[in-house]
Amino acid sequence: MKKTFLVIFFLSFAFGFGQNSTAPKEAPIVADSNTTLVEKKAEPIGGIKKFYTQLSSNMIVPEVEVAGVYRTKVKFVVNQDGSLSDFQILEETPSSVGLGQNVIRYLKSIENWIPSE
Protein backbone atom coordinates (compact mmCIF):
# COMPACT_ATOMS: atom_id res chain seq x y z
CA MET A 1 0.00 0.00 0.00
CA LYS A 2 2.82 2.38 0.88
CA LYS A 3 4.56 1.66 -2.42
CA THR A 4 1.38 2.39 -4.40
CA PHE A 5 0.89 5.64 -2.52
CA LEU A 6 4.52 6.67 -3.16
CA VAL A 7 4.25 5.88 -6.87
CA ILE A 8 1.06 7.91 -7.18
CA PHE A 9 2.62 10.74 -5.18
CA PHE A 10 5.74 10.89 -7.34
CA LEU A 11 3.75 10.68 -10.58
CA SER A 12 1.45 13.50 -9.51
CA PHE A 13 4.49 15.53 -8.47
CA ALA A 14 6.18 14.90 -11.83
CA PHE A 15 3.09 15.85 -13.82
CA GLY A 16 2.35 18.87 -11.66
CA PHE A 17 5.81 20.38 -11.91
CA GLY A 18 6.91 18.84 -15.19
CA GLN A 19 5.16 21.38 -17.39
CA ASN A 20 7.29 23.35 -19.79
CA SER A 21 7.04 26.93 -18.58
CA THR A 22 9.32 28.19 -21.37
CA ALA A 23 6.95 27.12 -24.14
CA PRO A 24 5.69 30.09 -26.15
CA LYS A 25 2.21 31.13 -25.26
CA GLU A 26 -0.29 32.17 -27.88
CA ALA A 27 -1.07 35.84 -27.91
CA PRO A 28 -4.53 36.59 -26.60
CA ILE A 29 -7.11 37.42 -29.22
CA VAL A 30 -8.28 40.97 -28.77
CA ALA A 31 -11.44 41.75 -30.68
CA ASP A 32 -12.44 45.28 -31.54
CA SER A 33 -15.37 46.62 -33.53
CA ASN A 34 -13.64 45.75 -36.83
CA THR A 35 -12.71 42.19 -35.87
CA THR A 36 -14.75 39.06 -36.33
CA LEU A 37 -13.62 35.92 -34.54
CA VAL A 38 -13.61 32.91 -36.86
CA GLU A 39 -13.40 29.16 -36.46
CA LYS A 40 -11.05 28.60 -39.41
CA LYS A 41 -8.36 31.11 -40.34
CA ALA A 42 -7.83 32.28 -43.89
CA GLU A 43 -4.90 30.60 -45.61
CA PRO A 44 -3.11 30.69 -48.93
CA ILE A 45 -3.94 28.01 -51.48
CA GLY A 46 -1.41 25.21 -50.97
CA GLY A 47 -0.81 26.13 -47.32
CA ILE A 48 1.33 28.57 -45.41
CA LYS A 49 4.61 26.66 -45.93
CA LYS A 50 4.19 26.84 -49.70
CA PHE A 51 3.34 30.54 -49.38
CA TYR A 52 6.54 31.30 -47.44
CA THR A 53 8.63 29.26 -49.89
CA GLN A 54 7.18 31.14 -52.86
CA LEU A 55 7.54 34.47 -51.07
CA SER A 56 11.21 33.91 -50.33
CA SER A 57 11.96 32.74 -53.88
CA ASN A 58 10.05 35.60 -55.53
CA MET A 59 11.22 38.46 -53.32
CA ILE A 60 13.21 41.18 -54.95
CA VAL A 61 15.83 42.04 -52.37
CA PRO A 62 17.51 45.38 -53.03
CA GLU A 63 21.27 45.56 -52.86
CA VAL A 64 22.46 46.85 -49.52
CA GLU A 65 25.80 48.25 -48.45
CA VAL A 66 25.79 46.69 -45.00
CA ALA A 67 25.12 43.01 -44.39
CA GLY A 68 22.70 42.28 -41.60
CA VAL A 69 19.25 41.17 -40.64
CA TYR A 70 16.45 42.96 -42.42
CA ARG A 71 12.84 42.38 -41.48
CA THR A 72 9.41 43.68 -42.25
CA LYS A 73 5.90 43.07 -40.94
CA VAL A 74 3.00 43.63 -43.28
CA LYS A 75 -0.66 43.57 -42.33
CA PHE A 76 -3.41 42.87 -44.84
CA VAL A 77 -7.05 41.80 -45.06
CA VAL A 78 -8.32 38.60 -46.67
CA ASN A 79 -11.75 39.49 -48.04
CA GLN A 80 -14.72 37.12 -48.18
CA ASP A 81 -13.92 36.28 -51.81
CA GLY A 82 -10.29 35.47 -50.89
CA SER A 83 -8.79 38.62 -52.42
CA LEU A 84 -6.21 40.58 -50.43
CA SER A 85 -6.54 44.28 -49.62
CA ASP A 86 -5.73 47.05 -47.12
CA PHE A 87 -1.97 46.46 -47.06
CA GLN A 88 -0.06 48.22 -44.29
CA ILE A 89 3.61 48.10 -43.38
CA LEU A 90 3.70 47.73 -39.60
CA GLU A 91 7.43 47.43 -39.11
CA GLU A 92 10.42 47.69 -41.40
CA THR A 93 14.00 47.53 -40.24
CA PRO A 94 15.77 49.42 -41.70
CA SER A 95 13.06 51.43 -43.41
CA SER A 96 15.33 52.72 -46.17
CA VAL A 97 15.63 49.31 -47.89
CA GLY A 98 12.03 49.04 -49.10
CA LEU A 99 11.35 45.41 -48.17
CA GLY A 100 7.79 46.22 -47.12
CA GLN A 101 6.90 47.58 -50.55
CA ASN A 102 8.41 44.48 -52.16
CA VAL A 103 6.30 42.20 -49.94
CA ILE A 104 3.17 44.19 -50.81
CA ARG A 105 4.06 43.97 -54.51
CA TYR A 106 4.32 40.20 -54.17
CA LEU A 107 1.05 39.90 -52.23
CA LYS A 108 -0.78 41.85 -54.92
CA SER A 109 0.54 39.49 -57.60
CA ILE A 110 -0.51 36.15 -56.07
CA GLU A 111 -3.77 34.24 -56.38
CA ASN A 112 -6.59 34.65 -53.90
CA TRP A 113 -6.46 32.96 -50.50
CA ILE A 114 -9.00 30.56 -49.06
CA PRO A 115 -11.13 32.89 -46.90
CA SER A 116 -11.89 32.28 -43.24
CA GLU A 117 -15.07 30.59 -42.10
Side-chain angles (χ1 to χ4, degrees), residues 4 34 55 61 63 72-73 78 83-84 86-87 91-92 96 109 113-114:
T4 306
N34 296 325
L55 174 65
V61 181
E63 291 187 30
T72 186
K73 288 183 184 178
V78 179
S83 63
L84 307 180
D86 299 333
F87 302 97
E91 179 183 320
E92 189 173 16
S96 61
S109 73
W113 283 34
I114 300 169

Side-chain angles (χ1 to χ4, degrees), residues 2 5 10 21 31 38-39 43 47 51 55 60-61 66 70 73-74 90 96:
K2 277 187 175 182
F5 176 74
F10 284 120
S21 61
V38 296
E39 290 188 28
E43 66 178 87
F51 169 75
L55 174 65
I60 299 173
V61 181
V66 179
Y70 297 86
K73 288 183 184 178
V74 177
L90 300 178
S96 61

Side-chain angles (χ1 to χ4, degrees), residues 73-115:
K73 288 183 184 178
V74 177
K75 175 182 171 181
F76 57 92
V77 173
V78 179
N79 299 308
Q80 290 180 341
D81 64 353
S83 63
L84 307 180
S85 65
D86 299 333
F87 302 97
Q88 294 177 332
I89 299 171
L90 300 178
E91 179 183 320
E92 189 173 16
T93 308
S95 60
S96 61
V97 176
L99 278 178
Q101 289 301 325
N102 285 329
V103 170
I104 290 173
R105 175 199 54 79
Y106 173 73
L107 290 171
K108 288 180 177 180
S109 73
I110 64 173
E111 60 189 343
N112 289 353
W113 283 34
I114 300 169

Side-chain angles (χ1 to χ4, degrees), residues 56-67:
S56 63
S57 63
N58 290 307
M59 275 295 297
I60 299 173
V61 181
E63 291 187 30
V64 293
E65 295 178 16
V66 179

Side-chain angles (χ1 to χ4, degrees), residues 19-32:
Q19 297 177 6
N20 185 357
S21 61
T22 60
K25 296 182 177 28
E26 289 188 26
I29 298 173
V30 179
D32 59 18

